[in-house]
Amino acid sequence: MDSRSARKHQAILEAATTVFLNKGYAGTSMDDIARLAAVSKQTVYKHFADKEKLFSEIILATTDRIDGMIDVVTDIPADADGLEENLTRLARRFLTALTQPQVLQLRRLIIANADTFPELGASWYEQGFERVLATLADTFRRLADQGLLRVDDPLLVADHFAGLLLWIPVNKAMFHGGARHTEADLERWATGGTRAFLAAYGRPADATRP
């Protein structure tokens, strides 16, 4: 793909993302996308055979953003004295990344079309959030092996950690649309979620000493 064609391809993807998020799948037309991308409708069809293929590409392209979150999840030092601080920092970054307005909009869009495109929704979950949970499970297993956590089922524990953090903001966003949260909200959810997690899975302080 030459540079001019690549620029048009990118412009179409960006326009499609904006229109799909604002109007939903059913409410979006290829004319809308072409207009916002400043290209002809024929150009849109030259790059993407139909609306479904364009929708699939923009949804699956967002899973690349998960790579940065995976790097964060794997970078938890095995420090008994700093475990709560380290997990709270992770929780804060986790919440910041996953409660961005566009991420929440995308989640609503995928859920709204899950019956129409079940395989797409499953792929997005598997390539995105499920990869984070698997990495988080490996991290918790490592911390358990080093005597810092009590973990029998690492993947379930990872789900519990994510659930403690995301239950409030994600449900508010799903039911209230453009629900807003403050930095203080994120800090409170990160701190409270981490403390509840350690109350369930942390080892007593004296048990973490050599």
Side-chain angles (χ1 to χ4, degrees):
M1 189 181 294
D2 62 42
S3 59
R4 185 165 178 267
S5 180
R7 286 196 300 271
K8 287 185 177 181
H9 189 89
Q10 186 60 33
I12 293 167
L13 286 175
E14 291 174 1
T17 300
T18 298
V19 180
F20 280 129
L21 288 177
N22 289 336
K23 293 188 172 184
Y25 180 81
T28 293
S29 71
M30 296 296 252
D31 286 313
D32 295 328
I33 295 167
R35 192 177 306 114
L36 187 59
V39 299
S40 68
K41 186 163 72 170
Q42 288 73 22
T43 298
V44 176
Y45 279 113
K46 181 180 177 181
H47 286 262
F48 299 95
D50 52 41
K51 187 171 79 167
E52 182 179 339
K53 285 185 172 56
L54 178 51
F55 183 66
S56 296
E57 180 155 341
I58 69 163
I59 294 299
L60 294 179
T62 62
T63 60
D64 291 343
R65 302 176 189 175
I66 295 296
D67 293 340
M69 179 56 61
I70 287 176
D71 290 340
V72 170
V73 168
T74 57
D75 191 28
I76 303 177
D79 174 10
D81 292 331
L83 182 61
E84 181 173 344
E85 180 182 349
N86 292 331
L87 287 177
T88 301
R89 187 180 301 112
L90 167 65
R92 184 68 165 76
R93 295 175 72 177
F94 200 79
L95 276 165
T96 298
L98 296 179
T99 59
Q100 294 294 319
Q102 191 179 66
V103 174
L104 293 172
Q105 278 184 293
L106 183 67
R107 182 187 179 97
R108 286 198 300 273
L109 180 63
I110 293 167
I111 291 171
N113 293 279
D115 288 337
T116 306
F117 304 113
E119 292 181 0
L120 178 61
S123 294
W124 184 83
Y125 184 81
E126 290 164 5
Q127 295 177 33
F129 195 57
E130 195 165 66
R131 283 201 296 138
V132 175
L133 289 174
T135 304
L136 194 57
D138 288 340
T139 296
F140 288 155
R141 183 186 294 108
R142 171 174 60 83
L143 294 175
D145 289 343
Q146 293 166 335
L148 301 183
L149 294 176
R150 293 177 291 109
V151 174
D152 293 324
D153 184 338
L155 188 56
L156 182 62
V157 171
D159 273 300
H160 286 172
F161 183 78
L164 285 166
L165 299 177
L166 297 175
W167 173 261
I168 297 172
V170 168
N171 275 286
K172 279 188 173 182
M174 295 302 103
F175 290 105
H176 292 276
R180 296 292 179 225
H181 48 262
T182 66
E183 292 296 311
D185 289 330
L186 293 178
E187 195 62 42
R188 182 165 61 88
W189 296 331
T191 301
T194 300
R195 287 176 179 168
F197 176 79
L198 287 174
Y201 295 110
R203 288 194 178 278
D206 58 352
T208 64
R209 309 293 181 188

